[in-house]
Amino acid sequence: MASRKELSSVSSSGMASTGGTLDSPVKQVQIEGLVVMKIIKHYQEEGQGSEVVQGVLLGLVVDDRLEITNCFPFPQHTEDDADFDEVQYQMEMMRSLRHVNIDHLHVGWYQSTYYGSFVSRALLDSQFSYQHAIEESVVLIYDPIKTAQGSLSLKAYRLTPKLMEICKEKDFTPEGLKKASIGFENMFEEVPIVIKNSHLINVLMWELEDKSTVADKHELLNLSSSNHLEKSLQLLMDRVDDMSQEIVKYNTYSRNLSKQQQQKHQYLQRRQQENAQRQSRGEAPLPEEDMSKLFKPPQPPPRMDSLLIAGREQDHLHPGGK
Amino acid sequence: MSVYGPVVKIHPVVLASICDSYERRNEGASRVIGTLLGTVDKHSIEVTNCFSVPHNESEDEVAVDMEFAKNMYELHKRVSPTEVIIGWYATGFDITEHSVLIHEYYSREASNPIHLTVDTALQSGKMNIRAYLSAQMGVPGKTVGVMFTPLTVKYIYYDTERIGVDLLQRTRDAPSRSKGLTSDLSQVGGAAARVQDMLTTVLAYIDDVLSGKVAADNSVGRFLTDLVNKVPTIPPEDFENMLNSNINDLLMVTYLSNLTQAQIALHEKLVLLS
């Protein structure tokens, strides 16, 4: 059972969920300080009510590193014509940014998360379309609650090649997933992040340190973290409930399937008996009817949902268990 | 430093953006200008966002792309509808005549815009960040001019921003100017070490005062009494009990989560097998 270890070093051997090195085109993500601050600010100002805030990452690819040099936020989905608005907004933003010499190559997107759970159908679809278009794109997940506790929580994920295959085929049946042997651990791979600043920004940092007060970041040492723990546990319980529902669905499906197989079998046998009787009586045998028309096979439930739910459970487990 | 006028509170995001756009300036341009966005209060102006505006500057004329500025502002407004144009910024140390023209343009967009200068060329060895308000001066009716009055500048952060900035500050120590994100345990250790350092400093100061080396300062003394009184008086056994029961809770949660994890993994394997 692979466990997602926390990021601990700048080594370029990836921290993929399989525990080995990444065999993807991106081995490291290098983020500029500016991007980090913009993401934090965006969540702080606009994200208090709704679930997620999203935005686009801009940058370029250098060797096997993905450099993220700038980003811009997306407006919230409040109006109904959100779809058209988005594309136009993006186009305009990129065009304008090009005038001021900011890299305008789309390399990914970022999203904030609530207590660490981010595995959802929408995310999967978005990341798939991004990765399909641009090989090296990543999704940055920013956890504001964990950050407020004292340590910046920013992670970069990509879809594993196996999962990309499955999404391409859109084959979410149990057989398809079994063929590719995907478990929830192989869905996403994590890419290590490095933060890099230019010299000028370093000067700025010195200046700021001079003029600002000492930070009060002792929430890390706070012994009474119980309400966060409670919240995480609650979300975990919800996910387990969802999971058991999915399991029940799957069980009913397999039971239906086997019942149907039995019925088919019986029908065939009866048919054969009748045919034998008719033959003995010298009559023409009844035609073999199309089995499939009689017995429509039950739909296998898409297993993607249960995979997602399992992934989400994992998310809750790790911040929860200190 | 004159303090007539509102206090300007800047978020570090703005300064980082300005530095970044300065680094990306076109060939031949000596400085960069842009718009400042934020919110205005009665006594303070909070600058929360900015974007750069392309402009051309030569000896005798200056051209600013106003269309671009308007467009960008519209786009930004879609994301954060509460931000308004509150002024403009320019990199560089001095205020030139061109600045006056640009300032006039911005006075049309916002009432009483502020002008921020960021000295990215580090002329005086430090990066000077100053803010100004414009005021009319001169003889009315005859020669009228504009004077830029300085304002106090403060830096404010959201909590999460503060943590982000601290992480960034660590990058300047590393020789390659880059740093990975640290794991949870090392951060807890770091925070504990910091608290310990602070306590050592305080203790050293108290020793000095007691032995007469340093004159006692009343305000510091008051802070110290506050500090000592903040620690609640609990008998040590009770404290130990509380701590232990807390640890027991955490251990139970860890156990349950490991159990769930094992169950999920088993489930996956079984599904793949069947």
Side-chain angles (χ1 to χ4, degrees):
Chain A
M1 160 173 59
S3 52
R4 262 193 277 153
K5 306 188 191 61
E6 296 129 347
L7 290 160
S8 58
S9 68
V10 182
S11 68
S12 55
S13 73
M15 295 285 209
S17 39
T18 51
T21 50
L22 293 174
D23 46 78
S24 71
V26 179
K27 298 247 187 320
Q28 202 184 66
V29 172
Q30 185 178 290
I31 308 188
E32 285 214 1
L34 175 65
V35 175
V36 173
M37 302 224 279
K38 272 187 153 178
I39 297 182
I40 295 180
K41 167 202 176 291
H42 183 212
Y43 177 78
Q44 190 77 27
E45 294 195 343
E46 309 299 330
Q48 300 299 7
S50 56
E51 270 269 337
V52 289
V53 295
Q54 300 180 330
V56 171
L57 299 171
L58 309 161
L60 60 152
V61 180
V62 173
D63 303 330
D64 58 356
R65 269 198 332 255
L66 180 66
E67 291 195 13
I68 302 183
T69 50
N70 215 323
C71 69
F72 61 83
F74 256 2
Q76 306 279 21
H77 282 240
T78 42
E79 302 102 80
D80 286 18
D81 54 351
D83 208 51
F84 171 71
D85 251 358
E86 269 190 32
V87 176
Q88 197 189 31
Y89 174 82
Q90 224 171 304
M91 287 291 116
E92 286 220 23
M93 250 326 202
M94 309 254 273
R95 223 178 306 145
S96 315
L97 290 176
R98 216 186 318 202
H99 282 298
V100 284
N101 296 340
I102 295 184
D103 297 322
H104 53 273
L105 177 60
H106 243 168
V107 290
W109 59 300
Y110 67 84
Q111 180 176 307
S112 76
T113 157
Y114 183 63
Y115 273 106
S117 80
F118 62 91
V119 182
S120 76
R121 197 50 187 276
L123 183 127
L124 206 62
D125 289 334
S126 305
Q127 181 61 11
F128 172 67
S129 49
Y130 259 95
Q131 236 170 288
H132 199 59
I134 303 166
E135 178 68 47
E136 304 90 356
S137 56
V138 297
V139 54
L140 272 186
I141 303 289
Y142 165 66
D143 188 353
I145 297 171
K146 192 135 183 279
T147 308
Q149 287 185 317
S151 68
L152 177 66
S153 154
L154 198 63
K155 299 210 167 119
Y157 289 108
R158 292 166 48 81
L159 299 180
T160 49
K162 285 195 206 157
L163 195 62
M164 292 280 291
E165 282 297 321
I166 298 244
C167 283
K168 233 183 290 196
E169 322 270 324
K170 294 226 190 291
D171 171 26
F172 295 139
T173 59
E175 293 76 27
L177 288 180
K178 215 188 308 179
K179 223 185 332 167
S181 67
I182 290 218
F184 63 88
E185 317 146 337
N186 309 1
M187 278 172 59
F188 290 102
E189 53 190 17
E190 194 174 334
V191 187
I193 295 184
V194 164
I195 299 195
K196 184 152 171 156
N197 279 326
S198 66
H199 289 296
L200 200 55
I201 304 265
N202 281 346
V203 175
L204 179 69
M205 290 294 141
W206 281 108
E207 185 78 19
L208 282 181
E209 173 147 352
D210 248 356
K211 305 269 180 66
S212 17
T213 55
V214 174
D216 176 38
K217 354 169 222 165
H218 301 141
E219 274 234 26
L220 268 183
L221 299 176
N222 198 355
L223 286 179
S224 64
S225 59
S226 52
N227 65 336
H228 289 303
L229 204 57
E230 265 180 44
K231 260 301 175 52
S232 292
L233 272 184
Q234 188 133 25
L235 290 171
L236 184 63
M237 290 200 300
D238 290 337
R239 293 287 83 74
V240 171
D241 279 338
D242 285 341
M243 185 76 159
S244 57
Q245 277 183 350
E246 282 287 316
I247 294 181
V248 161
K249 259 197 264 176
Y250 186 67
N251 279 343
T252 23
Y253 157 70
S254 24
R255 234 178 296 144
N256 281 345
L257 193 62
S258 52
K259 236 194 297 178
Q260 215 189 44
Q261 296 283 47
Q262 269 190 338
Q263 284 181 335
K264 261 203 228 178
H265 214 61
Q266 286 177 346
Y267 182 76
L268 267 176
Q269 277 188 334
R270 256 186 293 135
R271 258 302 147 102
Q272 280 173 348
Q273 275 182 345
E274 264 198 48
N275 277 346
Q277 283 180 349
R278 288 198 172 204
Q279 268 183 342
S280 56
R281 279 185 279 161
E283 287 172 20
L286 291 172
E288 289 284 324
E289 279 173 18
D290 195 7
M291 287 283 115
S292 52
K293 258 197 285 186
L294 280 181
F295 297 98
K296 241 198 315 205
Q299 284 282 22
R303 300 293 287 157
M304 185 48 76
D305 292 335
S306 34
L307 267 189
L308 290 175
I309 293 177
R312 247 179 289 190
E313 284 189 38
Q314 276 292 80
D315 292 335
H316 289 305
L317 284 174
H318 276 278
K322 262 210 233 182
Chain B
M1 177 101 83
S2 150
V3 284
Y4 297 136
V7 177
V8 178
K9 301 193 187 150
I10 310 187
H11 279 262
V13 137
V14 173
L15 297 169
S17 276
I18 298 178
C19 291
D20 182 67
S21 50
Y22 176 72
E23 285 176 354
R24 292 174 184 276
R25 66 189 184 287
N26 285 317
E27 289 292 330
S30 57
R31 63 178 195 164
V32 191
I33 69 166
T35 314
L36 292 171
L37 304 170
T39 47
V40 183
D41 213 8
K42 230 176 15 149
H43 295 296
S44 67
I45 299 183
E46 197 167 325
V47 185
T48 51
N49 207 347
C50 69
F51 57 83
S52 68
V53 175
H55 84 299
N56 289 321
E57 206 169 291
S58 59
E59 271 305 316
D60 41 355
E61 69 158 12
V62 63
V64 175
D65 195 345
M66 324 271 202
E67 268 306 308
F68 180 90
K70 268 209 232 318
N71 259 343
M72 275 297 246
Y73 176 51
E74 289 299 312
L75 290 175
H76 274 266
K77 229 187 357 179
R78 283 222 228 136
V79 179
S80 21
T82 52
E83 290 181 346
V84 289
I85 298 185
I86 53 172
W88 64 292
Y89 69 83
T91 60
F93 193 54
D94 300 320
I95 304 187
T96 63
E97 305 88 41
H98 302 315
S99 310
V100 180
L101 287 169
I102 306 179
H103 200 82
E104 256 191 51
Y105 162 65
Y106 274 100
S107 346
R108 266 179 270 146
E109 299 284 323
S111 63
N112 227 0
I114 62 171
H115 172 45
L116 188 72
T117 53
V118 179
D119 183 15
T120 42
L122 306 171
Q123 274 187 0
S124 54
K126 282 165 58 108
M127 185 185 278
N128 264 309
I129 301 174
R130 305 236 192 102
Y132 303 94
L133 255 191
S134 80
Q136 295 282 349
M137 72 161 177
V139 183
K142 303 239 178 85
T143 38
V144 195
V146 167
M147 181 174 69
F148 283 98
T149 50
L151 303 166
T152 14
V153 171
K154 281 208 172 88
Y155 305 108
I156 76 170
Y157 310 79
Y158 301 126
D159 292 333
T160 38
E161 257 186 342
R162 186 71 231 226
I163 294 175
V165 167
D166 282 328
L167 180 66
L168 297 181
Q169 285 184 335
R170 265 181 272 153
T171 67
R172 49 165 205 231
D173 302 325
S176 62
R177 291 180 287 123
S178 63
K179 192 86 168 114
L181 301 178
T182 50
S183 74
D184 281 340
L185 201 56
S186 59
Q187 276 170 331
V188 173
R194 270 190 294 270
V195 174
Q196 202 167 14
D197 281 340
M198 287 198 267
L199 282 176
T200 334
T201 326
V202 171
L203 280 175
Y205 171 78
I206 296 178
D207 282 335
D208 282 344
V209 170
L210 282 180
S211 62
K213 267 191 269 178
V214 178
D217 189 354
N218 276 336
S219 47
V220 176
R222 260 176 249 132
F223 278 129
L224 284 174
T225 357
D226 274 342
L227 180 71
V228 172
N229 284 338
K230 270 207 195 126
V231 180
T233 42
I234 317 176
E237 302 88 29
D238 284 351
F239 184 67
E240 260 191 61
N241 281 341
M242 285 201 297
L243 199 62
N244 281 336
S245 56
N246 209 359
I247 295 184
N248 277 342
D249 290 339
L250 286 179
L251 283 177
M252 178 184 74
V253 171
T254 321
Y255 171 69
L256 279 177
S257 47
N258 280 338
L259 196 63
T260 329
Q261 221 172 348
Q263 210 264 328
I264 298 178
L266 261 179
H267 173 80
E268 290 289 318
K269 297 283 185 292
L270 284 178
V271 163
L272 291 181
L273 272 181
S274 63

